[in-house]
Coordinates of all heavy atoms in Angstrom, one line a residue:
M1 N -27.8 -27.1 -1.5 CA -28.0 -27.9 -2.8 C -26.9 -27.6 -3.7 O -26.4 -28.5 -4.4 CB -29.3 -27.4 -3.3 CG -29.7 -28.0 -4.6 SD -30.4 -29.5 -4.3 CE -31.0 -30.0 -5.9
V2 N -26.4 -26.3 -3.7 CA -25.3 -26.0 -4.6 C -24.0 -26.7 -4.3 O -23.3 -27.3 -5.0 CB -25.1 -24.5 -4.7 CG1 -23.8 -24.1 -5.5 CG2 -26.3 -23.8 -5.3
M3 N -23.8 -26.7 -2.9 CA -22.5 -27.3 -2.4 C -22.6 -28.9 -2.7 O -21.5 -29.5 -2.9 CB -22.2 -27.0 -1.0 CG -21.8 -25.6 -0.7 SD -20.4 -25.1 -1.7 CE -19.1 -25.7 -0.6
Q4 N -23.8 -29.4 -2.5 CA -23.9 -30.9 -2.8 C -23.6 -31.1 -4.3 O -23.0 -32.1 -4.6 CB -25.3 -31.3 -2.4 CG -25.5 -32.8 -2.5 CD -27.0 -33.2 -2.2 OE1 -27.8 -32.4 -1.9 NE2 -27.2 -34.4 -2.2
N5 N -24.1 -30.3 -5.1 CA -23.9 -30.5 -6.6 C -22.4 -30.3 -6.8 O -21.8 -31.1 -7.7 CB -24.7 -29.6 -7.4 CG -26.2 -29.9 -7.5 OD1 -26.6 -31.0 -7.2 ND2 -27.0 -28.9 -7.8
L6 N -21.8 -29.3 -6.3 CA -20.3 -29.2 -6.5 C -19.6 -30.4 -6.0 O -18.6 -30.8 -6.6 CB -19.8 -27.9 -5.8 CG -20.2 -26.6 -6.3 CD1 -19.9 -25.4 -5.4 CD2 -19.7 -26.4 -7.7
R7 N -20.0 -31.0 -4.8 CA -19.3 -32.1 -4.3 C -19.4 -33.3 -5.3 O -18.5 -34.0 -5.4 CB -20.0 -32.5 -2.9 CG -19.2 -33.6 -2.1 CD -19.8 -33.8 -0.8 NE -19.8 -32.6 0.0 CZ -20.8 -32.0 0.6 NH1 -22.0 -32.6 0.5 NH2 -20.6 -30.9 1.3
I8 N -20.6 -33.5 -5.8 CA -20.8 -34.6 -6.7 C -20.0 -34.4 -8.0 O -19.4 -35.4 -8.4 CB -22.4 -34.7 -7.1 CG1 -23.2 -35.1 -5.9 CG2 -22.5 -35.6 -8.4 CD1 -24.6 -35.0 -6.1
L9 N -19.8 -33.2 -8.4 CA -19.0 -33.0 -9.6 C -17.5 -32.9 -9.3 O -16.7 -32.8 -10.2 CB -19.4 -31.6 -10.2 CG -20.8 -31.6 -10.9 CD1 -21.2 -30.3 -11.3 CD2 -20.9 -32.6 -12.0
G10 N -17.1 -33.1 -8.0 CA -15.8 -33.0 -7.6 C -15.2 -31.6 -7.6 O -13.9 -31.4 -7.7
L11 N -16.0 -30.6 -7.5 CA -15.5 -29.2 -7.6 C -15.5 -28.5 -6.2 O -15.1 -27.4 -6.1 CB -16.4 -28.4 -8.5 CG -16.4 -28.9 -10.0 CD1 -17.4 -28.1 -10.8 CD2 -15.1 -28.9 -10.6
E12 N -16.1 -29.2 -5.2 CA -16.1 -28.5 -3.9 C -14.8 -28.2 -3.3 O -14.5 -27.0 -2.9 CB -16.9 -29.3 -2.9 CG -17.0 -28.6 -1.5 CD -17.8 -29.6 -0.5 OE1 -17.7 -30.8 -0.6 OE2 -18.4 -29.0 0.4
T13 N -13.9 -29.1 -3.3 CA -12.6 -28.9 -2.7 C -11.8 -27.9 -3.5 O -11.2 -27.0 -2.9 CB -11.7 -30.3 -2.7 OG1 -12.5 -31.2 -1.8 CG2 -10.3 -30.1 -2.1
P14 N -11.7 -27.9 -4.9 CA -11.0 -26.8 -5.5 C -11.6 -25.5 -5.3 O -10.8 -24.5 -5.1 CB -11.1 -27.2 -7.0 CG -11.3 -28.6 -7.0 CD -12.1 -29.0 -5.8
L15 N -12.8 -25.4 -5.1 CA -13.5 -24.0 -4.8 C -13.1 -23.6 -3.4 O -12.7 -22.4 -3.2 CB -15.0 -24.2 -4.9 CG -15.8 -23.0 -4.5 CD1 -15.5 -21.8 -5.5 CD2 -17.3 -23.2 -4.4
L16 N -13.1 -24.5 -2.4 CA -12.7 -24.1 -1.1 C -11.3 -23.8 -1.0 O -10.8 -22.9 -0.2 CB -13.1 -25.2 -0.1 CG -14.6 -25.5 0.2 CD1 -14.8 -26.6 1.0 CD2 -15.2 -24.2 0.7
Q17 N -10.4 -24.5 -1.8 CA -9.0 -24.2 -1.8 C -8.8 -22.7 -2.3 O -7.9 -22.0 -1.8 CB -8.2 -25.2 -2.7 CG -8.0 -26.5 -2.1 CD -7.4 -27.6 -3.0 OE1 -7.4 -27.4 -4.2 NE2 -6.8 -28.7 -2.4
R18 N -9.5 -22.4 -3.4 CA -9.4 -21.0 -3.9 C -9.8 -20.0 -2.9 O -9.2 -18.9 -2.8 CB -10.1 -20.9 -5.2 CG -9.5 -21.7 -6.4 CD -10.1 -21.5 -7.7 NE -10.0 -20.1 -8.2 CZ -8.9 -19.6 -8.7 NH1 -7.8 -20.3 -8.8 NH2 -9.0 -18.3 -9.2
R19 N -10.9 -20.3 -2.2 CA -11.3 -19.4 -1.1 C -10.3 -19.3 -0.1 O -10.0 -18.2 0.4 CB -12.7 -19.9 -0.5 CG -13.9 -19.6 -1.4 CD -15.2 -20.0 -0.7 NE -16.2 -20.0 -1.5 CZ -17.4 -20.5 -1.4 NH1 -17.6 -21.2 -0.2 NH2 -18.4 -20.4 -2.2
L20 N -9.7 -20.3 0.3 CA -8.7 -20.3 1.4 C -7.5 -19.5 0.9 O -7.0 -18.6 1.7 CB -8.2 -21.7 1.8 CG -7.4 -21.8 3.0 CD1 -7.8 -23.0 3.9 CD2 -5.9 -22.0 2.6
I21 N -7.0 -19.6 -0.2 CA -5.9 -18.9 -0.8 C -6.2 -17.4 -0.8 O -5.5 -16.6 -0.3 CB -5.4 -19.3 -2.2 CG1 -4.8 -20.7 -2.0 CG2 -4.5 -18.4 -2.8 CD1 -4.5 -21.5 -3.3
A22 N -7.5 -17.1 -1.2 CA -7.9 -15.7 -1.3 C -8.1 -15.1 0.1 O -8.0 -13.9 0.2 CB -9.2 -15.6 -2.1
S23 N -8.2 -15.9 1.1 CA -8.5 -15.4 2.5 C -7.1 -15.2 3.2 O -7.2 -14.6 4.3 CB -9.4 -16.4 3.3 OG -8.6 -17.5 3.6
W24 N -6.1 -15.6 2.7 CA -4.8 -15.4 3.3 C -4.5 -14.0 3.8 O -4.2 -13.8 4.9 CB -3.6 -15.9 2.5 CG -2.2 -15.6 3.1 CD1 -1.4 -14.7 2.6 CD2 -1.7 -16.2 4.3 NE1 -0.2 -14.7 3.4 CE2 -0.5 -15.6 4.5 CE3 -2.1 -17.1 5.2 CZ2 0.4 -15.9 5.5 CZ3 -1.3 -17.4 6.2 CH2 0.0 -16.8 6.4
P25 N -4.7 -12.9 2.9 CA -4.5 -11.5 3.4 C -5.4 -11.1 4.5 O -4.9 -10.5 5.5 CB -4.7 -10.7 2.2 CG -4.5 -11.7 1.0 CD -5.0 -13.0 1.5
T26 N -6.6 -11.6 4.5 CA -7.5 -11.3 5.6 C -7.2 -12.0 6.9 O -7.1 -11.3 8.0 CB -9.0 -11.7 5.2 OG1 -9.3 -11.0 4.0 CG2 -9.9 -11.4 6.3
V27 N -6.9 -13.3 6.8 CA -6.6 -14.0 8.1 C -5.2 -13.6 8.6 O -5.0 -13.4 9.8 CB -6.7 -15.5 7.8 CG1 -6.1 -16.3 9.0 CG2 -8.1 -15.9 7.4
A28 N -4.2 -13.4 7.7 CA -2.8 -13.2 8.2 C -2.7 -11.7 8.6 O -1.9 -11.4 9.5 CB -1.9 -13.5 7.0
G29 N -3.5 -10.9 8.0 CA -3.4 -9.4 8.4 C -2.6 -8.7 7.3 O -1.8 -9.3 6.6
D30 N -2.7 -7.4 7.2 CA -2.1 -6.5 6.3 C -0.6 -6.6 6.3 O 0.1 -6.6 5.3 CB -2.6 -5.1 6.3 CG -4.1 -5.0 5.9 OD1 -4.6 -5.8 5.2 OD2 -4.7 -4.1 6.3
A31 N -0.1 -6.6 7.6 CA 1.4 -6.5 7.8 C 2.1 -7.7 7.1 O 3.1 -7.6 6.5 CB 1.7 -6.4 9.2
I32 N 1.5 -8.9 7.4 CA 2.1 -10.1 6.8 C 1.8 -10.2 5.3 O 2.6 -10.7 4.5 CB 1.5 -11.4 7.6 CG1 2.0 -11.3 9.0 CG2 2.0 -12.6 6.9 CD1 1.4 -12.4 10.0
A33 N 0.6 -9.9 4.9 CA 0.2 -10.0 3.5 C 1.1 -9.1 2.7 O 1.4 -9.4 1.5 CB -1.3 -9.6 3.3
R34 N 1.6 -8.0 3.2 CA 2.4 -7.1 2.4 C 3.7 -7.8 2.0 O 4.3 -7.5 1.0 CB 2.7 -5.9 3.3 CG 3.5 -4.8 2.6 CD 3.7 -3.6 3.5 NE 2.5 -3.2 4.2 CZ 2.3 -3.0 5.5 NH1 3.3 -3.3 6.3 NH2 1.2 -2.6 6.0
Y35 N 4.1 -8.8 2.8 CA 5.4 -9.4 2.5 C 5.2 -10.8 1.9 O 6.2 -11.6 1.7 CB 6.2 -9.6 3.8 CG 6.7 -8.3 4.4 CD1 6.1 -7.8 5.5 CD2 7.5 -7.4 3.7 CE1 6.4 -6.5 6.1 CE2 7.9 -6.2 4.2 CZ 7.3 -5.7 5.4 OH 7.6 -4.5 5.9
T36 N 4.0 -11.1 1.5 CA 3.7 -12.4 0.9 C 3.7 -12.2 -0.6 O 3.1 -11.4 -1.2 CB 2.2 -12.9 1.3 OG1 2.2 -13.0 2.7 CG2 1.9 -14.2 0.6
T37 N 4.5 -13.1 -1.3 CA 4.7 -13.0 -2.7 C 3.9 -14.0 -3.5 O 3.6 -13.9 -4.6 CB 6.2 -13.0 -3.1 OG1 6.7 -14.3 -2.7 CG2 6.9 -11.9 -2.5
D38 N 3.7 -15.2 -2.8 CA 2.9 -16.3 -3.5 C 2.3 -17.2 -2.5 O 2.9 -17.4 -1.4 CB 3.8 -17.1 -4.4 CG 3.1 -18.0 -5.2 OD1 2.0 -17.7 -5.7 OD2 3.6 -19.2 -5.5
V39 N 1.0 -17.7 -2.7 CA 0.4 -18.6 -1.9 C -0.2 -19.8 -2.8 O -0.9 -19.4 -3.8 CB -0.8 -18.0 -1.1 CG1 -1.5 -19.0 -0.2 CG2 -0.2 -16.7 -0.3
S40 N 0.0 -21.0 -2.4 CA -0.6 -22.1 -3.1 C -0.8 -23.3 -2.2 O -0.3 -23.3 -1.1 CB 0.5 -22.5 -4.3 OG 1.6 -23.0 -3.7
I41 N -1.6 -24.3 -2.7 CA -1.9 -25.5 -1.9 C -1.5 -26.6 -2.8 O -1.8 -26.8 -4.0 CB -3.4 -25.5 -1.6 CG1 -3.9 -24.3 -0.7 CG2 -3.7 -26.8 -0.9 CD1 -5.3 -24.3 -0.4
Y42 N -0.8 -27.6 -2.1 CA -0.5 -28.8 -2.7 C -0.6 -30.0 -1.6 O 0.1 -29.8 -0.5 CB 0.9 -28.8 -3.3 CG 1.3 -30.1 -4.0 CD1 0.7 -30.5 -5.1 CD2 2.2 -30.9 -3.4 CE1 1.1 -31.7 -5.8 CE2 2.6 -32.2 -4.0 CZ 2.0 -32.5 -5.3 OH 2.3 -33.7 -5.8
N43 N -1.3 -31.0 -1.7 CA -1.5 -32.1 -0.8 C -1.8 -31.6 0.6 O -1.2 -32.0 1.6 CB -0.2 -32.9 -0.8 CG 0.0 -33.8 -1.9 OD1 -1.0 -34.1 -2.6 ND2 1.2 -34.3 -2.2
Q44 N -2.8 -30.8 0.6 CA -3.3 -30.2 2.0 C -2.3 -29.5 2.7 O -2.4 -29.3 3.9 CB -3.8 -31.4 2.8 CG -5.1 -32.0 2.4 CD -5.8 -32.9 3.4 OE1 -5.1 -33.7 4.0 NE2 -7.0 -32.7 3.6
T45 N -1.3 -28.9 2.0 CA -0.3 -28.0 2.6 C -0.3 -26.7 1.9 O -0.3 -26.7 0.7 CB 1.1 -28.6 2.5 OG1 1.1 -29.9 3.3 CG2 2.2 -27.7 3.2
L46 N -0.5 -25.7 2.7 CA -0.5 -24.3 2.2 C 1.0 -23.9 2.1 O 1.7 -23.9 3.1 CB -1.3 -23.4 3.1 CG -1.3 -21.9 2.6 CD1 -2.3 -21.8 1.3 CD2 -1.9 -21.0 3.6
Y47 N 1.4 -23.4 0.9 CA 2.8 -22.9 0.8 C 2.7 -21.4 0.6 O 2.1 -21.0 -0.2 CB 3.4 -23.5 -0.4 CG 3.8 -25.0 -0.3 CD1 2.8 -26.0 -0.5 CD2 4.9 -25.5 0.2 CE1 3.0 -27.3 -0.4 CE2 5.2 -26.8 0.4 CZ 4.2 -27.7 0.1 OH 4.5 -29.1 0.3
V48 N 3.4 -20.7 1.6 CA 3.4 -19.2 1.6 C 4.9 -18.8 1.3 O 5.8 -19.1 2.1 CB 2.9 -18.7 2.9 CG1 2.9 -17.2 2.9 CG2 1.5 -19.2 3.2
R49 N 5.1 -18.1 0.2 CA 6.4 -17.5 0.0 C 6.4 -16.0 0.5 O 5.5 -15.3 0.2 CB 6.6 -17.5 -1.6 CG 8.0 -17.0 -1.9 CD 8.4 -17.3 -3.3 NE 8.7 -18.8 -3.3 CZ 8.6 -19.5 -4.4 NH1 8.2 -18.9 -5.6 NH2 8.8 -20.8 -4.5
L50 N 7.5 -15.8 1.2 CA 7.6 -14.5 1.8 C 8.9 -13.7 1.3 O 9.8 -14.4 0.9 CB 7.8 -14.6 3.3 CG 6.6 -15.3 4.1 CD1 7.0 -15.7 5.4 CD2 5.3 -14.5 4.1
S51 N 8.7 -12.5 1.2 CA 9.9 -11.7 0.7 C 10.9 -11.3 1.8 O 11.9 -10.8 1.5 CB 9.4 -10.4 0.0 OG 8.7 -9.6 0.9
V52 N 10.6 -11.5 3.1 CA 11.4 -11.2 4.2 C 11.7 -12.5 5.0 O 10.9 -13.0 5.7 CB 10.7 -10.1 5.1 CG1 11.6 -9.8 6.3 CG2 10.4 -8.9 4.3
P53 N 12.9 -12.9 4.8 CA 13.4 -14.2 5.5 C 13.1 -14.2 7.0 O 12.8 -15.2 7.6 CB 14.8 -14.2 5.2 CG 15.0 -13.5 3.9 CD 14.0 -12.3 4.0
A54 N 13.3 -13.1 7.7 CA 13.2 -13.0 9.1 C 11.8 -13.3 9.6 O 11.6 -13.8 10.7 CB 13.6 -11.6 9.6
L55 N 10.8 -13.0 8.7 CA 9.4 -13.3 9.1 C 9.1 -14.8 9.1 O 8.1 -15.2 9.8 CB 8.6 -12.6 8.0 CG 7.1 -12.4 8.3 CD1 6.8 -11.7 9.7 CD2 6.4 -11.6 7.2
R56 N 9.8 -15.6 8.4 CA 9.6 -17.0 8.2 C 9.6 -17.7 9.6 O 8.7 -18.5 9.9 CB 10.6 -17.7 7.3 CG 10.4 -17.3 6.0 CD 11.5 -18.0 5.1 NE 11.6 -17.3 3.8 CZ 12.8 -17.0 3.2 NH1 13.9 -17.5 3.7 NH2 12.8 -16.4 2.1
A57 N 10.6 -17.5 10.4 CA 10.7 -18.2 11.7 C 9.5 -17.8 12.6 O 9.0 -18.7 13.2 CB 12.1 -17.8 12.4
D58 N 9.2 -16.6 12.7 CA 8.0 -16.2 13.5 C 6.7 -16.8 13.1 O 6.1 -17.4 13.9 CB 8.0 -14.7 13.4 CG 6.8 -14.2 14.3 OD1 6.7 -14.6 15.5 OD2 5.9 -13.4 13.8
L59 N 6.5 -16.8 11.8 CA 5.2 -17.4 11.2 C 5.3 -18.8 11.4 O 4.2 -19.5 11.7 CB 5.0 -17.0 9.8 CG 4.8 -15.4 9.6 CD1 4.6 -15.2 8.1 CD2 3.7 -15.0 10.4
S60 N 6.4 -19.5 11.3 CA 6.5 -21.0 11.4 C 6.0 -21.4 12.8 O 5.5 -22.5 13.0 CB 7.9 -21.4 11.1 OG 8.2 -21.3 9.8
M61 N 6.4 -20.6 13.8 CA 6.0 -20.9 15.2 C 4.4 -20.8 15.4 O 3.9 -21.4 16.3 CB 6.7 -20.1 16.1 CG 8.2 -20.4 16.3 SD 9.0 -19.5 17.6 CE 9.3 -17.9 16.7
R62 N 3.8 -20.0 14.5 CA 2.4 -19.8 14.6 C 1.6 -20.7 13.6 O 0.4 -20.4 13.3 CB 2.1 -18.4 14.4 CG 2.8 -17.5 15.5 CD 2.5 -16.0 15.2 NE 1.2 -15.7 15.0 CZ 0.8 -14.5 14.4 NH1 1.7 -13.7 13.9 NH2 -0.5 -14.2 14.2
R63 N 2.2 -21.7 13.0 CA 1.6 -22.5 11.9 C 0.2 -23.0 12.3 O -0.7 -22.8 11.5 CB 2.5 -23.6 11.6 CG 3.4 -23.4 10.5 CD 4.1 -24.7 10.0 NE 4.1 -25.8 10.8 CZ 5.1 -26.5 11.0 NH1 6.2 -26.3 10.5 NH2 5.0 -27.6 11.9
Q64 N 0.1 -23.7 13.4 CA -1.2 -24.4 13.7 C -2.3 -23.3 14.0 O -3.4 -23.5 13.7 CB -1.0 -25.2 15.0 CG -0.1 -26.5 14.6 CD -0.7 -27.2 13.4 OE1 -1.9 -27.5 13.3 NE2 0.2 -27.5 12.5
E65 N -1.9 -22.1 14.4 CA -2.9 -21.1 14.7 C -3.4 -20.6 13.3 O -4.6 -20.4 13.1 CB -2.1 -19.9 15.4 CG -2.9 -18.6 15.4 CD -2.1 -17.5 16.0 OE1 -1.1 -17.7 16.8 OE2 -2.4 -16.4 15.7
F66 N -2.5 -20.5 12.3 CA -3.0 -20.1 11.0 C -3.8 -21.2 10.3 O -4.8 -21.0 9.7 CB -1.8 -19.7 10.1 CG -1.2 -18.4 10.3 CD1 0.1 -18.2 10.8 CD2 -2.0 -17.2 10.2 CE1 0.6 -17.0 11.1 CE2 -1.5 -15.9 10.4 CZ -0.2 -15.8 10.8
V67 N -3.4 -22.4 10.4 CA -4.2 -23.6 9.8 C -5.5 -23.5 10.4 O -6.5 -23.7 9.6 CB -3.5 -25.0 10.3 CG1 -4.4 -26.1 9.9 CG2 -2.2 -25.1 9.5
K68 N -5.7 -23.4 11.7 CA -7.1 -23.5 12.3 C -7.9 -22.2 11.9 O -9.1 -22.3 11.4 CB -7.0 -23.4 13.8 CG -8.4 -23.4 14.4 CD -8.3 -23.5 15.9 CE -9.7 -23.5 16.7 NZ -10.8 -23.2 15.9
A69 N -7.3 -21.1 11.8 CA -8.0 -19.8 11.4 C -8.4 -19.9 10.0 O -9.5 -19.5 9.6 CB -7.1 -18.6 11.7
L70 N -7.5 -20.3 9.1 CA -7.8 -20.4 7.6 C -8.9 -21.5 7.4 O -9.9 -21.3 6.6 CB -6.6 -20.7 6.8 CG -5.6 -19.7 6.7 CD1 -4.3 -20.2 6.3 CD2 -6.1 -18.6 5.7
N71 N -8.9 -22.7 8.0 CA -9.9 -23.7 7.8 C -11.3 -23.2 8.4 O -12.3 -23.4 7.7 CB -9.5 -25.0 8.5 CG -8.5 -25.8 7.8 OD1 -8.4 -25.7 6.5 ND2 -7.6 -26.5 8.4
D72 N -11.3 -22.6 9.5 CA -12.5 -22.0 10.1 C -13.0 -20.9 9.2 O -14.3 -20.8 9.0 CB -12.2 -21.3 11.5 CG -11.9 -22.4 12.6 OD1 -12.1 -23.6 12.4 OD2 -11.5 -22.0 13.7
Y73 N -12.2 -20.1 8.5 CA -12.7 -19.0 7.7 C -13.4 -19.6 6.5 O -14.5 -19.1 6.1 CB -11.5 -18.2 7.2 CG -11.8 -17.0 6.5 CD1 -12.0 -15.7 7.2 CD2 -12.0 -16.9 5.1 CE1 -12.4 -14.6 6.6 CE2 -12.5 -15.7 4.5 CZ -12.6 -14.5 5.3 OH -13.0 -13.4 4.6
V74 N -13.0 -20.7 5.9 CA -13.6 -21.3 4.7 C -14.7 -22.4 5.1 O -15.5 -22.8 4.3 CB -12.7 -21.8 3.7 CG1 -11.8 -20.8 3.1 CG2 -11.9 -23.0 4.2
G75 N -14.7 -22.8 6.4 CA -15.7 -23.7 6.8 C -15.4 -25.1 6.4 O -16.4 -25.9 6.2
G76 N -14.2 -25.6 6.4 CA -13.9 -26.9 6.1 C -12.4 -27.3 6.4 O -11.7 -26.3 6.6
Q77 N -12.1 -28.6 6.4 CA -10.7 -29.0 6.7 C -10.0 -29.0 5.4 O -10.0 -30.2 4.7 CB -10.7 -30.4 7.4 CG -9.3 -30.8 7.8 CD -8.6 -30.0 8.7 OE1 -9.2 -29.4 9.6 NE2 -7.3 -30.0 8.6
I78 N -9.5 -28.0 4.9 CA -8.8 -27.9 3.6 C -7.4 -28.1 3.7 O -6.8 -28.8 2.8 CB -9.2 -26.6 3.0 CG1 -10.7 -26.3 2.8 CG2 -8.6 -26.4 1.5 CD1 -11.4 -27.4 2.1
I79 N -6.7 -27.5 4.7 CA -5.3 -27.7 4.8 C -4.9 -28.3 6.2 O -5.7 -28.2 7.1 CB -4.5 -26.4 4.6 CG1 -4.9 -25.3 5.7 CG2 -4.6 -25.8 3.3 CD1 -4.0 -24.2 5.8
A80 N -3.8 -29.0 6.2 CA -3.4 -29.7 7.5 C -2.1 -29.0 8.0 O -1.7 -29.2 9.1 CB -3.2 -31.2 7.2
D81 N -1.4 -28.3 7.1 CA -0.1 -27.7 7.5 C 0.2 -26.5 6.6 O -0.4 -26.2 5.6 CB 1.0 -28.7 7.3 CG 2.3 -28.4 7.9 OD1 2.3 -27.4 8.8 OD2 3.3 -29.0 7.7
I82 N 1.1 -25.7 7.1 CA 1.6 -24.5 6.3 C 3.1 -24.6 6.3 O 3.7 -24.8 7.3 CB 1.1 -23.2 6.9 CG1 -0.4 -23.1 6.9 CG2 1.7 -22.0 6.1 CD1 -0.9 -21.7 7.6
R83 N 3.7 -24.3 5.1 CA 5.1 -24.1 4.9 C 5.4 -22.7 4.5 O 4.9 -22.3 3.5 CB 5.7 -25.2 3.9 CG 5.3 -26.6 4.3 CD 6.2 -27.0 5.5 NE 5.6 -28.2 6.0 CZ 6.2 -29.5 6.0 NH1 7.5 -29.5 5.5 NH2 5.7 -30.5 6.5
F84 N 6.3 -22.1 5.1 CA 6.8 -20.8 4.8 C 8.2 -20.8 4.1 O 9.1 -21.6 4.6 CB 6.9 -19.9 6.0 CG 5.5 -19.7 6.6 CD1 5.2 -20.4 7.8 CD2 4.6 -18.8 6.1 CE1 4.0 -20.3 8.4 CE2 3.4 -18.6 6.8 CZ 3.1 -19.3 7.9
S85 N 8.3 -20.2 3.0 CA 9.7 -20.1 2.3 C 10.0 -18.7 1.8 O 9.1 -17.8 1.8 CB 9.7 -21.1 1.1 OG 8.7 -20.7 0.2

């Protein structure tokens, strides 16, 4: 009932986006979260800023794995891609 009301008010997606952003450290793990400086969502793309450039290439190869894990974690199709910078 609550989610239905949120959907009607147009608040379900923003709430799920915030949950997804908050779940990044849990899904990515402590080692990766330690080097994450910023996480945001724009147009169904999660943007993750990292403080270690060498980590970008490794994580970029695992993009789809992270997309699936994050969407599964929040229970909805919130993001379609991840960009690391």
Side-chain angles (χ1 to χ4, degrees):
M1 181 85 172
V2 172
M3 288 307 274
Q4 183 179 8
N5 288 339
L6 289 172
R7 187 174 302 124
I8 290 168
L9 295 171
L11 299 174
E12 180 183 32
T13 299
L15 176 64
L16 291 176
Q17 287 176 341
R18 291 187 62 77
R19 284 185 186 164
L20 188 136
I21 289 169
S23 72
W24 172 252
T26 302
V27 173
D30 290 337
I32 295 170
R34 186 176 312 123
Y35 299 110
T36 301
T37 61
D38 188 39
V39 181
S40 61
I41 296 176
Y42 181 72
N43 285 342
Q44 289 190 313
T45 300
L46 182 71
Y47 292 89
V48 179
R49 181 167 289 153
L50 302 166
S51 61
V52 177
L55 195 55
R56 291 181 201 140
D58 179 50
L59 295 181
S60 291
M61 288 186 280
R62 298 174 51 199
R63 268 192 339 224
Q64 291 309 311
E65 174 187 332
F66 283 119
V67 168
K68 182 178 179 347
L70 288 162
N71 283 328
D72 289 348
Y73 192 90
V74 297
Q77 181 66 32
I78 303 304
I79 59 169
D81 196 13
I82 298 179
R83 301 291 166 112
F84 298 99
S85 63

